[in-house]
């Protein structure tokens, strides 16, 4: 009996080891009991995940757009006035706001025999960016520049007295429908160049069609002088606007509309996911008015 007692007795170190082993075993048993298979995401969770991803992507895109706008704003602002690039002096170039590099590029092009026959020729210079040309293009004045043929440059025919007396025929300015006109026709309007025409078309696509002439003022680069010049030549046909389903459209579609901002779209999505569908214009207007000005024309572009 004494020998059995000695066999079953443990010193302090052995007791600690035994307790530790028992604790580990107990933890393993509890882990097995409490472990549950991973639950798959239901449809509602997936929709919430999609919404969160859309919010994240839209935020990244908005940050990128803001960064681009900041870069553009840092560029020296041009102060153009009517000028002829075929005769422009260095002093005139500096008054316009051109850089020394741009001025040298223009003058070097002329010194090598180059001429600017059309406004778009200036945009071909590598130092003139698209943004620069968009500002300069309405102010470029190019009197008729004859293109000389290298084969018969010395055999130009002098105009007769009848030809000299004949008045120059001016091309009639077209009347255009804002909702159907193409960019090639838009450039025939006063003070509208290729880049401004492209911006009008792009804005029309984002908007879903024009319902009011005044919406042209929201186009980038459309100042009061340009709007006044083209206003007599534009009208609106009966083309229906493209409407967005406010309860089913994805985040990207909504946030890209010119009359909705990021915070307003977030509030629309929160309403849809937590409280239910938006039923009418009054409910939508009340929902988003705290996150920015609500353009009343937005009502023409949404459906419920």
């Amino acid at each position: 009996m004494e020998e059995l007692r000695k066999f079953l007795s443990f010193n302090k170190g052995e007791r600690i080891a035994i307790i530790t082993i028992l604790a580990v075993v107990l933890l393993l048993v509890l882990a097995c009991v409490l472990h549950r298979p991973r639950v798959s995401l239901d449809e509602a969770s997936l929709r919430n995940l999609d919404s969160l991803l859309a919010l994240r992507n839209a935020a990244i895109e908005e940050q990128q757009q803001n960064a681009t706008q900041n870069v553009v704003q840092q560029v020296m602002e041009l102060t153009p006035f009517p000028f002829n690039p075929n005769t422009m002096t260095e002093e005139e170039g500096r008054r316009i706001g051109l850089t020394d590099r741009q001025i040298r590029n223009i003058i070097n092009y002329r010194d090598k025999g180059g001429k600017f026959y059309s406004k778009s020729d200036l945009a071909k210079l590598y130092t003139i960016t698209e943004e620069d040309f968009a500002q300069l293009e309405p102010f470029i004045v190019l009197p008729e520049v004859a293109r000389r043929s290298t084969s018969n440059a010395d055999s130009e025919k002098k105009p007769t007295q009848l030809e000299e007396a004949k008045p120059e025929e001016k091309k009639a300015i077209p009347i255009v429908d804002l909702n159907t006109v193409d960019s090639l026709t838009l450039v025939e309007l006063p003070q509208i160049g290729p880049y401004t025409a492209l911006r009008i078309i792009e804005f029309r696509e984002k908007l879903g069609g024009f319902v009011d002439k005044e919406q042209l003022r929201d186009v980038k680069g459309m100042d009061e002088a340009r709007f006044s010049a083209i206003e007599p030549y534009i009208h609106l046909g009966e083309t229906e606007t493209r409407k967005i389903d406010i309860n089913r459209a994805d985040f990207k579609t909504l946030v890209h509309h010119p009359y909705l901002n990021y915070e307003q779209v977030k509030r629309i999505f929160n309403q849809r996911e937590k409280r239910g569908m938006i039923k009418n214009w009054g409910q939508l207007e009340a929902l988003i008015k705290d996150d920015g000005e609500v353009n009343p024309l937005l009502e023409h572009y949404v459906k419920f």
Side-chain angles (χ1 to χ4, degrees), residues 1-54:
M1 192 69 178
E2 185 67 25
E3 291 179 357
L4 180 61
R5 189 181 296 110
K6 290 181 179 179
F7 177 78
L8 294 177
S9 62
F10 303 97
N11 58 36
K12 183 178 180 181
E14 290 171 335
R15 287 196 297 273
I16 293 174
I18 291 171
I19 293 171
T20 302
I21 292 171
L22 290 174
V24 171
V25 171
L26 180 60
L27 289 174
L28 290 174
V29 171
L30 288 174
C32 292
V33 172
L34 297 177
H35 178 70
R36 293 287 184 274
R38 188 174 182 179
V39 179
S40 59
L41 294 174
D42 57 16
E43 186 177 350
S45 299
L46 290 173
R47 284 201 304 270
N48 290 335
L49 180 59
D50 289 341
S51 299
L52 290 173
L53 290 174

Side-chain angles (χ1 to χ4, degrees), residues 269-280:
F269 262 68
N270 288 335
Q271 169 70 23
R272 280 165 40 174
E273 293 176 0
K274 296 179 180 179
R275 298 180 180 86
M277 299 177 66
I278 301 169
K279 298 178 180 179
N280 52 53

